[in-house]
Amino acid sequence: MTMVATSEEAVQEGAAVRRRSSKTLWLLAPGMIWMVAFLVLPMLMMVYVSFWTQTTFKIEPALTLQSWITFLTSATYLGALWTTIRIWLLVLLSTLIVGYPAALFVGLLIKNKTLQTVLLVLCVIPFWTSFLIRVLAWRPMLGTEGAINMILMNLGVIRQPIEVLLFSELSVIIGMTQIYCVFMVGPIAFMMGRIDASVIEAAQDLGAGFWRIFRTIILPLSMPGVVVGAIFVSVMVLGEFATSAALSGRKVNLLGNIIVTQVGSLKWAFAAVAGVVLTIIMGAVVAALLKVVDLRKEL
């Protein structure tokens, strides 16, 4: 009788597991269909089109490596690739330098939760306007007759306007840092808020100074937020083209600008090649960042 009862329980448990699995699949189905239709299939199509035969006036579905060879041997395309990587690294570093102290202040030093929320909302207020307005707003700030040059000249810091502030790589980095810094502040502030204050108090009671507490407690515990923020900033900066076009006067050519130009010229194969290269870089960056911290364990 005991063996029969055990067998019936096993059968019932197996049926319950199958029902739960069936429900899980149904719940996942809409998301999976959406991802396949609007992410996987377009990416596969982009890879396929990158091997089509591109001529000056038309494109044919005859497979060839010519577009890839042209891209990988062109100084213009390789220069845009290097510029994209260089600006991504500089913007990532600048957003971390600007964003980490702000997140430390909001997430750890401010104890009042309401005030924390207010400060975080203030960080996202610029996003209540359009992206284009936020980018173009830097022109009257950075120009030779802009606000920054006028203030510095009135203070006697400089005698001649600093021309490199606008229509240069520096202006692109400044603009991207301001636009994307909030994506670094948010995740880090969230992780700062999860740090147990009693751990820091115990370290202080044992005589540890601020820098030792920061190095051994705050920084390691905030690393998941840094990684998440770095992923957000990296994906958006690597795919950028509008900020570069508006603030550099088209002097800074990113891979995103290459894609826009090639699509505008109806050179779909070259645009697809640049898109595939950009996607590979993004995937490699995200994979490398996820190797730094195991987010499934930390979050």
PDB file of all heavy atoms in Angstrom, residues 96-122:
ATOM      1  N   LEU A  96      31.473  57.905 -15.497  1.00  0.00           N
ATOM      2  CA  LEU A  96      31.788  57.253 -14.220  1.00  0.00           C
ATOM      3  C   LEU A  96      32.378  58.262 -13.232  1.00  0.00           C
ATOM      4  O   LEU A  96      32.007  58.270 -12.042  1.00  0.00           O
ATOM      5  CB  LEU A  96      32.769  56.105 -14.455  1.00  0.00           C
ATOM      6  CG  LEU A  96      33.128  55.257 -13.225  1.00  0.00           C
ATOM      7  CD1 LEU A  96      31.868  54.602 -12.656  1.00  0.00           C
ATOM      8  CD2 LEU A  96      34.155  54.190 -13.588  1.00  0.00           C
ATOM      9  N   ILE A  97      33.283  59.143 -13.734  1.00  0.00           N
ATOM     10  CA  ILE A  97      33.906  60.149 -12.852  1.00  0.00           C
ATOM     11  C   ILE A  97      32.858  61.142 -12.335  1.00  0.00           C
ATOM     12  O   ILE A  97      32.873  61.531 -11.167  1.00  0.00           O
ATOM     13  CB  ILE A  97      35.032  60.887 -13.618  1.00  0.00           C
ATOM     14  CG1 ILE A  97      36.191  59.936 -13.879  1.00  0.00           C
ATOM     15  CG2 ILE A  97      35.507  62.107 -12.835  1.00  0.00           C
ATOM     16  CD1 ILE A  97      37.277  60.526 -14.763  1.00  0.00           C
ATOM     17  N   VAL A  98      31.949  61.553 -13.212  1.00  0.00           N
ATOM     18  CA  VAL A  98      30.913  62.513 -12.805  1.00  0.00           C
ATOM     19  C   VAL A  98      29.803  61.817 -12.022  1.00  0.00           C
ATOM     20  O   VAL A  98      29.296  62.346 -11.021  1.00  0.00           O
ATOM     21  CB  VAL A  98      30.328  63.223 -14.048  1.00  0.00           C
ATOM     22  CG1 VAL A  98      29.169  64.123 -13.654  1.00  0.00           C
ATOM     23  CG2 VAL A  98      31.414  64.029 -14.749  1.00  0.00           C
ATOM     24  N   GLY A  99      29.412  60.630 -12.472  1.00  0.00           N
ATOM     25  CA  GLY A  99      28.243  59.973 -11.900  1.00  0.00           C
ATOM     26  C   GLY A  99      28.482  59.277 -10.572  1.00  0.00           C
ATOM     27  O   GLY A  99      27.579  59.241  -9.724  1.00  0.00           O
ATOM     28  N   TYR A 100      29.684  58.721 -10.357  1.00  0.00           N
ATOM     29  CA  TYR A 100      29.907  57.954  -9.132  1.00  0.00           C
ATOM     30  C   TYR A 100      29.812  58.819  -7.872  1.00  0.00           C
ATOM     31  O   TYR A 100      29.107  58.439  -6.920  1.00  0.00           O
ATOM     32  CB  TYR A 100      31.253  57.232  -9.188  1.00  0.00           C
ATOM     33  CG  TYR A 100      31.368  56.134  -8.149  1.00  0.00           C
ATOM     34  CD1 TYR A 100      31.057  54.829  -8.485  1.00  0.00           C
ATOM     35  CD2 TYR A 100      31.761  56.410  -6.850  1.00  0.00           C
ATOM     36  CE1 TYR A 100      31.139  53.807  -7.544  1.00  0.00           C
ATOM     37  CE2 TYR A 100      31.832  55.406  -5.902  1.00  0.00           C
ATOM     38  CZ  TYR A 100      31.541  54.101  -6.255  1.00  0.00           C
ATOM     39  OH  TYR A 100      31.597  53.102  -5.313  1.00  0.00           O
ATOM     40  N   PRO A 101      30.470  59.986  -7.812  1.00  0.00           N
ATOM     41  CA  PRO A 101      30.304  60.826  -6.607  1.00  0.00           C
ATOM     42  C   PRO A 101      28.857  61.253  -6.391  1.00  0.00           C
ATOM     43  O   PRO A 101      28.392  61.308  -5.244  1.00  0.00           O
ATOM     44  CB  PRO A 101      31.210  62.030  -6.890  1.00  0.00           C
ATOM     45  CG  PRO A 101      32.193  61.551  -7.897  1.00  0.00           C
ATOM     46  CD  PRO A 101      31.454  60.571  -8.741  1.00  0.00           C
ATOM     47  N   ALA A 102      28.143  61.555  -7.480  1.00  0.00           N
ATOM     48  CA  ALA A 102      26.728  61.938  -7.344  1.00  0.00           C
ATOM     49  C   ALA A 102      25.914  60.779  -6.777  1.00  0.00           C
ATOM     50  O   ALA A 102      25.062  60.972  -5.890  1.00  0.00           O
ATOM     51  CB  ALA A 102      26.177  62.373  -8.702  1.00  0.00           C
ATOM     52  N   ALA A 103      26.168  59.571  -7.281  1.00  0.00           N
ATOM     53  CA  ALA A 103      25.452  58.393  -6.768  1.00  0.00           C
ATOM     54  C   ALA A 103      25.829  58.107  -5.317  1.00  0.00           C
ATOM     55  O   ALA A 103      24.978  57.699  -4.513  1.00  0.00           O
ATOM     56  CB  ALA A 103      25.766  57.189  -7.646  1.00  0.00           C
ATOM     57  N   LEU A 104      27.100  58.321  -4.982  1.00  0.00           N
ATOM     58  CA  LEU A 104      27.551  58.122  -3.594  1.00  0.00           C
ATOM     59  C   LEU A 104      26.813  59.073  -2.657  1.00  0.00           C
ATOM     60  O   LEU A 104      26.377  58.674  -1.561  1.00  0.00           O
ATOM     61  CB  LEU A 104      29.058  58.344  -3.507  1.00  0.00           C
ATOM     62  CG  LEU A 104      29.710  58.212  -2.131  1.00  0.00           C
ATOM     63  CD1 LEU A 104      29.639  56.768  -1.643  1.00  0.00           C
ATOM     64  CD2 LEU A 104      31.165  58.673  -2.169  1.00  0.00           C
ATOM     65  N   PHE A 105      26.658  60.318  -3.092  1.00  0.00           N
ATOM     66  CA  PHE A 105      25.971  61.315  -2.269  1.00  0.00           C
ATOM     67  C   PHE A 105      24.487  60.975  -2.116  1.00  0.00           C
ATOM     68  O   PHE A 105      23.949  60.961  -1.005  1.00  0.00           O
ATOM     69  CB  PHE A 105      26.139  62.704  -2.901  1.00  0.00           C
ATOM     70  CG  PHE A 105      25.418  63.792  -2.183  1.00  0.00           C
ATOM     71  CD1 PHE A 105      25.888  64.284  -0.973  1.00  0.00           C
ATOM     72  CD2 PHE A 105      24.247  64.331  -2.709  1.00  0.00           C
ATOM     73  CE1 PHE A 105      25.211  65.292  -0.299  1.00  0.00           C
ATOM     74  CE2 PHE A 105      23.561  65.328  -2.041  1.00  0.00           C
ATOM     75  CZ  PHE A 105      24.050  65.805  -0.828  1.00  0.00           C
ATOM     76  N   VAL A 106      23.845  60.662  -3.241  1.00  0.00           N
ATOM     77  CA  VAL A 106      22.404  60.410  -3.207  1.00  0.00           C
ATOM     78  C   VAL A 106      22.081  59.079  -2.527  1.00  0.00           C
ATOM     79  O   VAL A 106      21.177  58.994  -1.691  1.00  0.00           O
ATOM     80  CB  VAL A 106      21.826  60.424  -4.645  1.00  0.00           C
ATOM     81  CG1 VAL A 106      20.351  60.022  -4.632  1.00  0.00           C
ATOM     82  CG2 VAL A 106      21.983  61.794  -5.264  1.00  0.00           C
ATOM     83  N   GLY A 107      22.827  58.037  -2.872  1.00  0.00           N
ATOM     84  CA  GLY A 107      22.476  56.693  -2.405  1.00  0.00           C
ATOM     85  C   GLY A 107      22.970  56.351  -1.017  1.00  0.00           C
ATOM     86  O   GLY A 107      22.372  55.492  -0.348  1.00  0.00           O
ATOM     87  N   LEU A 108      24.046  56.987  -0.559  1.00  0.00           N
ATOM     88  CA  LEU A 108      24.641  56.565   0.717  1.00  0.00           C
ATOM     89  C   LEU A 108      24.627  57.664   1.767  1.00  0.00           C
ATOM     90  O   LEU A 108      24.314  57.400   2.935  1.00  0.00           O
ATOM     91  CB  LEU A 108      26.086  56.106   0.475  1.00  0.00           C
ATOM     92  CG  LEU A 108      26.728  55.292   1.593  1.00  0.00           C
ATOM     93  CD1 LEU A 108      25.979  53.986   1.797  1.00  0.00           C
ATOM     94  CD2 LEU A 108      28.194  55.009   1.282  1.00  0.00           C
ATOM     95  N   LEU A 109      24.972  58.888   1.367  1.00  0.00           N
ATOM     96  CA  LEU A 109      25.095  59.950   2.358  1.00  0.00           C
ATOM     97  C   LEU A 109      23.744  60.572   2.716  1.00  0.00           C
ATOM     98  O   LEU A 109      23.579  61.089   3.819  1.00  0.00           O
ATOM     99  CB  LEU A 109      26.058  61.031   1.850  1.00  0.00           C
ATOM    100  CG  LEU A 109      27.484  60.527   1.550  1.00  0.00           C
ATOM    101  CD1 LEU A 109      28.375  61.670   1.110  1.00  0.00           C
ATOM    102  CD2 LEU A 109      28.081  59.831   2.769  1.00  0.00           C
ATOM    103  N   ILE A 110      22.785  60.557   1.784  1.00  0.00           N
ATOM    104  CA  ILE A 110      21.445  61.075   2.078  1.00  0.00           C
ATOM    105  C   ILE A 110      20.629  59.955   2.729  1.00  0.00           C
ATOM    106  O   ILE A 110      20.362  58.928   2.104  1.00  0.00           O
ATOM    107  CB  ILE A 110      20.754  61.566   0.791  1.00  0.00           C
ATOM    108  CG1 ILE A 110      21.552  62.711   0.172  1.00  0.00           C
ATOM    109  CG2 ILE A 110      19.329  62.017   1.110  1.00  0.00           C
ATOM    110  CD1 ILE A 110      21.625  63.946   1.026  1.00  0.00           C
ATOM    111  N   LYS A 111      20.240  60.141   3.971  1.00  0.00           N
ATOM    112  CA  LYS A 111      19.510  59.101   4.695  1.00  0.00           C
ATOM    113  C   LYS A 111      18.008  59.192   4.472  1.00  0.00           C
ATOM    114  O   LYS A 111      17.296  58.191   4.588  1.00  0.00           O
ATOM    115  CB  LYS A 111      19.802  59.224   6.203  1.00  0.00           C
ATOM    116  CG  LYS A 111      21.289  59.163   6.549  1.00  0.00           C
ATOM    117  CD  LYS A 111      21.901  57.837   6.153  1.00  0.00           C
ATOM    118  CE  LYS A 111      23.381  57.788   6.553  1.00  0.00           C
ATOM    119  NZ  LYS A 111      24.039  56.548   6.054  1.00  0.00           N
ATOM    120  N   ASN A 112      17.516  60.386   4.179  1.00  0.00           N
ATOM    121  CA  ASN A 112      16.082  60.582   3.993  1.00  0.00           C
ATOM    122  C   ASN A 112      15.656  60.018   2.629  1.00  0.00           C
ATOM    123  O   ASN A 112      16.114  60.490   1.591  1.00  0.00           O
ATOM    124  CB  ASN A 112      15.754  62.077   4.079  1.00  0.00           C
ATOM    125  CG  ASN A 112      14.263  62.317   4.099  1.00  0.00           C
ATOM    126  OD1 ASN A 112      13.527  61.830   3.261  1.00  0.00           O
ATOM    127  ND2 ASN A 112      13.816  63.070   5.100  1.00  0.00           N
ATOM    128  N   LYS A 113      14.780  59.009   2.642  1.00  0.00           N
ATOM    129  CA  LYS A 113      14.370  58.346   1.404  1.00  0.00           C
ATOM    130  C   LYS A 113      13.606  59.303   0.480  1.00  0.00           C
ATOM    131  O   LYS A 113      13.739  59.235  -0.742  1.00  0.00           O
ATOM    132  CB  LYS A 113      13.493  57.138   1.729  1.00  0.00           C
ATOM    133  CG  LYS A 113      14.215  56.037   2.479  1.00  0.00           C
ATOM    134  CD  LYS A 113      15.338  55.457   1.633  1.00  0.00           C
ATOM    135  CE  LYS A 113      16.059  54.328   2.371  1.00  0.00           C
ATOM    136  NZ  LYS A 113      17.216  53.815   1.585  1.00  0.00           N
ATOM    137  N   THR A 114      12.796  60.193   1.071  1.00  0.00           N
ATOM    138  CA  THR A 114      12.049  61.151   0.243  1.00  0.00           C
ATOM    139  C   THR A 114      12.998  62.096  -0.485  1.00  0.00           C
ATOM    140  O   THR A 114      12.845  62.365  -1.684  1.00  0.00           O
ATOM    141  CB  THR A 114      11.084  61.963   1.116  1.00  0.00           C
ATOM    142  OG1 THR A 114      10.224  61.068   1.818  1.00  0.00           O
ATOM    143  CG2 THR A 114      10.253  62.906   0.272  1.00  0.00           C
ATOM    144  N   LEU A 115      14.014  62.572   0.245  1.00  0.00           N
ATOM    145  CA  LEU A 115      14.993  63.460  -0.378  1.00  0.00           C
ATOM    146  C   LEU A 115      15.793  62.727  -1.447  1.00  0.00           C
ATOM    147  O   LEU A 115      16.118  63.302  -2.494  1.00  0.00           O
ATOM    148  CB  LEU A 115      15.934  64.023   0.693  1.00  0.00           C
ATOM    149  CG  LEU A 115      16.960  65.054   0.222  1.00  0.00           C
ATOM    150  CD1 LEU A 115      16.257  66.235  -0.455  1.00  0.00           C
ATOM    151  CD2 LEU A 115      17.814  65.532   1.394  1.00  0.00           C
ATOM    152  N   GLN A 116      16.094  61.435  -1.195  1.00  0.00           N
ATOM    153  CA  GLN A 116      16.774  60.624  -2.216  1.00  0.00           C
ATOM    154  C   GLN A 116      15.954  60.584  -3.500  1.00  0.00           C
ATOM    155  O   GLN A 116      16.481  60.769  -4.606  1.00  0.00           O
ATOM    156  CB  GLN A 116      16.978  59.199  -1.698  1.00  0.00           C
ATOM    157  CG  GLN A 116      18.180  58.995  -0.817  1.00  0.00           C
ATOM    158  CD  GLN A 116      18.396  57.529  -0.501  1.00  0.00           C
ATOM    159  OE1 GLN A 116      17.609  56.670  -0.893  1.00  0.00           O
ATOM    160  NE2 GLN A 116      19.454  57.247   0.225  1.00  0.00           N
ATOM    161  N   THR A 117      14.655  60.322  -3.348  1.00  0.00           N
ATOM    162  CA  THR A 117      13.775  60.241  -4.521  1.00  0.00           C
ATOM    163  C   THR A 117      13.733  61.571  -5.258  1.00  0.00           C
ATOM    164  O   THR A 117      13.779  61.615  -6.494  1.00  0.00           O
ATOM    165  CB  THR A 117      12.354  59.839  -4.089  1.00  0.00           C
ATOM    166  OG1 THR A 117      12.423  58.618  -3.337  1.00  0.00           O
ATOM    167  CG2 THR A 117      11.456  59.645  -5.285  1.00  0.00           C
ATOM    168  N   VAL A 118      13.649  62.671  -4.487  1.00  0.00           N
ATOM    169  CA  VAL A 118      13.597  64.000  -5.110  1.00  0.00           C
ATOM    170  C   VAL A 118      14.868  64.270  -5.917  1.00  0.00           C
ATOM    171  O   VAL A 118      14.816  64.767  -7.052  1.00  0.00           O
ATOM    172  CB  VAL A 118      13.405  65.084  -4.031  1.00  0.00           C
ATOM    173  CG1 VAL A 118      13.592  66.477  -4.624  1.00  0.00           C
ATOM    174  CG2 VAL A 118      12.028  64.958  -3.398  1.00  0.00           C
ATOM    175  N   LEU A 119      16.020  63.920  -5.341  1.00  0.00           N
ATOM    176  CA  LEU A 119      17.293  64.159  -6.040  1.00  0.00           C
ATOM    177  C   LEU A 119      17.404  63.314  -7.309  1.00  0.00           C
ATOM    178  O   LEU A 119      17.903  63.780  -8.339  1.00  0.00           O
ATOM    179  CB  LEU A 119      18.462  63.867  -5.098  1.00  0.00           C
ATOM    180  CG  LEU A 119      18.621  64.856  -3.927  1.00  0.00           C
ATOM    181  CD1 LEU A 119      19.723  64.407  -2.976  1.00  0.00           C
ATOM    182  CD2 LEU A 119      18.925  66.257  -4.450  1.00  0.00           C
ATOM    183  N   LEU A 120      16.928  62.058  -7.236  1.00  0.00           N
ATOM    184  CA  LEU A 120      16.966  61.203  -8.431  1.00  0.00           C
ATOM    185  C   LEU A 120      16.022  61.730  -9.512  1.00  0.00           C
ATOM    186  O   LEU A 120      16.338  61.667 -10.705  1.00  0.00           O
ATOM    187  CB  LEU A 120      16.603  59.760  -8.060  1.00  0.00           C
ATOM    188  CG  LEU A 120      17.679  58.994  -7.277  1.00  0.00           C
ATOM    189  CD1 LEU A 120      17.158  57.632  -6.854  1.00  0.00           C
ATOM    190  CD2 LEU A 120      18.951  58.830  -8.110  1.00  0.00           C
ATOM    191  N   VAL A 121      14.876  62.253  -9.085  1.00  0.00           N
ATOM    192  CA  VAL A 121      13.950  62.845 -10.062  1.00  0.00           C
ATOM    193  C   VAL A 121      14.583  64.073 -10.716  1.00  0.00           C
ATOM    194  O   VAL A 121      14.440  64.298 -11.923  1.00  0.00           O
ATOM    195  CB  VAL A 121      12.618  63.214  -9.383  1.00  0.00           C
ATOM    196  CG1 VAL A 121      11.741  64.051 -10.324  1.00  0.00           C
ATOM    197  CG2 VAL A 121      11.871  61.956  -8.973  1.00  0.00           C
ATOM    198  N   LEU A 122      15.312  64.869  -9.919  1.00  0.00           N
ATOM    199  CA  LEU A 122      16.001  66.037 -10.480  1.00  0.00           C
ATOM    200  C   LEU A 122      17.015  65.616 -11.547  1.00  0.00           C
ATOM    201  O   LEU A 122      17.229  66.339 -12.520  1.00  0.00           O
ATOM    202  CB  LEU A 122      16.709  66.814  -9.362  1.00  0.00           C
ATOM    203  CG  LEU A 122      15.808  67.589  -8.400  1.00  0.00           C
ATOM    204  CD1 LEU A 122      16.640  68.222  -7.285  1.00  0.00           C
ATOM    205  CD2 LEU A 122      15.024  68.663  -9.147  1.00  0.00           C
TER     206      LEU A 122
END
